[in-house]
Amino acid sequence: MTLNGCISVAAKPSAPSRPPLSNSALTSQNAVNTDEVSVRNSTTRAGGALTQVRTSLRKHHRADSTTPEATMTTVRNAILDLLRSHNLTTWFGNPGSSELALLQDFPDDFRYLLGLQEMVPVGMADAYAQITRRPALVNLHTAPGMGNAQGQLYNAFVNKTPLIVTAGNQRRTMQNQYCLLTNAEPTTVPKPFVKWAGEPAVASEAPAVLARAIHIATSPPMGPVFVSLPMDDMPVELHDDQAVDVAVLRDRSVTHAAGFPPNLAQQICARLAAATSPALIVGGDVERYGAWDAVIGLAERTQSAVWTAPLTGWSGFPEDHALYQGILPPGAGWISHLLADHDLLLVIGAPVFRYYPLVPGRYLPDGASLIHITNDPDEAARAPVGDAIVADVASAARALLAAAKASQRSAPPPRAQIPQLEAAEVPLKPEALWTAVGQAAPPETLWVSEAGSNEVAITRSIRPGRPLSHLSAAGGGLGWGLPASVGAQLAAADRPVVALMGDGSMHYAITALWTAAQYQIPVTIVVASNAEYGVVKEFGVWEKTPNVPGLDLPGLNVVATAASYGVDAHEARCTDEVVELVKSGIADRGRPTLINARTTPVET
């Protein structure tokens, strides 16, 4: 292929063997209501109504007593029925023999997306759940599978993603001998990166334990949960009373009501009005919990500068907005320096703050005060500074917008413009690569970034303006970005998804490329290849730790590796070619595309 005078080297992928998902299968599930999170909208049966249900079920069993195998409810069937009622029919997993009893004769109305290593299904499910704004189910394999998944579970925990993680366990009668597949302490293994973990004490409790897990995962602050399912529980038959109890459990709902005191909103707005130069600092929870529009309105009404807090997953504000100043770096001294001109900081939907490395300096500029609004009691408790308010983020933002009066202060100066795109050949400077990528993609693009030393350049060159448009791992654990981009594209089938990757980070979960190719998920992946762990070298300069081994990555062939998994892979040799390849990759809605470009190493 020849593009604008540059020679493109393309590797031809092998044809995928698995048929593509249907269009309906790629359609996102309905979003959770952001005003009140209700796992299911249904009535709870009690009293006389429950008695009627029991009688009806018993009559049904007696009428069909000639074919008991067709009428008896097993634990497995009850679990599937519970998950179906919660619309948890898309599973991400890597199964083993301890999961066979659950997965046998997999229902036609469910779908299972396979990852070749456990990091991949957890990362896919993480992004899928965040974008559909619904819980997602992950199916893993006993203790070793949970161990392999732990890094991604950490990311999901910090991302506050409602994942329902399940794994099989050895038969109860074989666990005491520590037979193969025994997870001796199943509820301990995933901790501390789950909100809750359980294993049913008896087989008949399995549906109730799963229902509890779903409700906990979806209760703010949301997060992953874990349920261990011994393999011999699945075929156990429930008697009539147990079956009725499970049906009632399946149909009950948990609703979270939200609100924010008007007088408290008025007090905060009075402080905003009295401030000389207020700033809003927003985080991922602004987007997770539906506060986007209200926060924009509040910033505009008060003429406040807006920053994104460090390491929160989503931007929380349109990155192309005139009031937006960028992402704060994760160091106390850096933050207090950047915010030196502001006397009041209102933090909404973010922790205060997530730091690394140790950067000496005050937490806040001299003379500044901070108000912190979060739905997470732990975030409120651990913040080193400021007055915290634990509340529903969306309700708080709407109440503040209603109470705020239009300010007459001048708007803060806008940040620097996106760098001009100039023709260049590889190795490209990071700003040149990402400016080319940003110019090639349409406004509705959903960006997933995990590019280490390139992240600052990305935020300068790519500025999405729509909600749910720039996703990264709040936890910072590498290996998340590539599977997350696949899960994001699965969730947002009507939007192009572009992954912004480093050559080091993408190899942690490289087999996500196989999943994308086999299921024909049309994600576009752009890789900045500097043949090093650049961000670690940058930290080494800051920490004054020279001559650290293991930071160079010679010999990686990203294009050949991607092609071996069935991806349409290309080597870009100039900025013009980057633009053309990104455009063609986004236009191809039948398969994934990877574009690799050599970039300059970090300056040390």
Side-chain angles (χ1 to χ4, degrees), residues 74-427:
T74 64
V75 169
R76 172 189 177 272
N77 289 338
I79 287 173
L80 293 176
D81 196 28
L82 172 74
L83 297 175
R84 185 180 286 113
S85 72
H86 289 284
N87 205 14
L88 287 166
T89 56
T90 294
W91 293 17
F92 303 85
N94 182 277
S97 53
S98 58
E99 291 72 46
L100 294 176
L102 174 63
L103 297 175
Q104 64 176 326
D105 299 323
F106 204 60
D108 292 339
D109 58 329
F110 283 56
R111 60 174 174 172
Y112 195 102
L113 290 105
L114 174 65
L116 299 186
Q117 201 269 1
E118 287 82 357
M119 288 181 70
V120 173
V122 180
M124 290 171 61
D126 187 340
Y128 183 86
Q130 291 197 61
I131 292 163
T132 61
R133 300 170 79 175
R134 291 192 48 80
L137 191 135
V138 181
N139 174 245
L140 302 177
H141 178 50
T142 191
M146 289 300 298
N148 288 341
Q150 195 76 340
Q152 296 289 45
L153 202 56
Y154 158 78
N155 281 323
F157 183 75
V158 182
N159 288 342
K160 301 180 181 178
T161 306
L163 298 185
I164 318 302
V165 182
T166 69
N169 202 352
Q170 181 54 271
R171 289 178 171 84
R172 295 175 186 272
T173 55
M174 298 174 67
Q175 291 183 17
N176 184 61
Q177 303 167 51
Y178 202 60
C179 294
L180 183 67
L181 305 182
T182 298
N183 190 349
E185 297 187 22
T187 61
T188 301
V189 170
K191 293 178 180 177
F193 304 131
V194 291
K195 289 180 67 178
W196 182 80
E199 182 179 74
V202 294
S204 60
E205 269 195 346
V209 171
L210 265 171
R212 179 181 180 184
I214 293 168
H215 294 309
I216 291 173
T218 53
S219 297
M222 298 182 293
V225 294
F226 173 70
V227 176
S228 173
L229 297 170
M231 56 196 299
D232 56 338
D233 286 3
M234 297 302 103
V236 171
E237 295 179 343
L238 302 175
H239 58 66
D240 284 359
D241 286 347
Q242 290 173 330
V244 171
D245 288 343
V246 168
V248 172
L249 189 76
R250 177 199 65 208
D251 291 338
R252 66 181 295 268
S253 67
V254 174
T255 299
H256 299 275
F260 196 80
N263 62 328
L264 184 56
Q266 291 166 4
Q267 292 172 22
I268 295 171
C269 286
R271 292 181 63 180
L272 284 171
T276 302
S277 178
L280 304 187
I281 302 172
V282 298
D285 283 356
V286 167
E287 298 191 59
R288 293 185 189 102
Y289 296 99
W292 174 272
D293 290 335
V295 166
I296 295 172
L298 179 65
E300 292 173 345
R301 190 165 295 177
T302 60
Q303 290 293 288
S304 297
V306 182
W307 298 82
T308 295
L311 303 170
T312 67
W314 294 100
S315 302
F317 202 81
E319 294 184 46
D320 60 352
H321 196 287
L323 294 172
Y324 186 70
Q325 305 297 307
I327 298 176
L328 291 172
W334 292 333
I335 290 175
S336 59
H337 174 73
L338 284 172
L339 300 179
D341 293 334
H342 300 289
D343 56 345
L344 177 62
L345 311 176
L346 175 58
V347 181
I348 304 177
V352 177
F353 292 109
R354 301 192 67 230
Y355 299 117
Y356 187 83
L358 175 62
V359 180
R362 299 173 61 88
Y363 289 121
L364 297 179
D366 290 339
S369 59
L370 184 145
I371 303 169
H372 182 200
I373 299 175
T374 174
N375 64 11
D376 188 338
D378 186 66
E379 284 184 357
R382 70 176 189 255
V385 67
D387 299 320
I389 301 166
V390 180
D392 176 73
V393 173
S395 296
R398 286 193 292 268
L400 291 172
L401 177 59
K405 293 180 172 57
S407 174
Q408 300 304 311
R409 68 171 64 92
S410 300
R415 62 174 175 156
Q417 295 294 311
I418 293 174
Q420 286 291 114
L421 178 59
E422 298 179 359
E425 295 185 350
V426 297

Side-chain angles (χ1 to χ4, degrees), residues 32-37 256-259 289-290 392 394-395 398:
V32 171
N33 185 293
T34 56
D35 291 330
E36 48 181 14
V37 179
H256 299 275
Y289 296 99
D392 176 73
S395 296
R398 286 193 292 268

Side-chain angles (χ1 to χ4, degrees), residues 510-536:
I510 192 70
T511 60
L513 294 174
W514 178 90
T515 302
Q518 290 298 310
Y519 294 100
Q520 299 186 20
I521 299 171
V523 61
T524 301
I525 303 151
V526 183
V527 184
S529 287
N530 57 11
E532 62 183 0
Y533 289 130
V535 71
V536 185

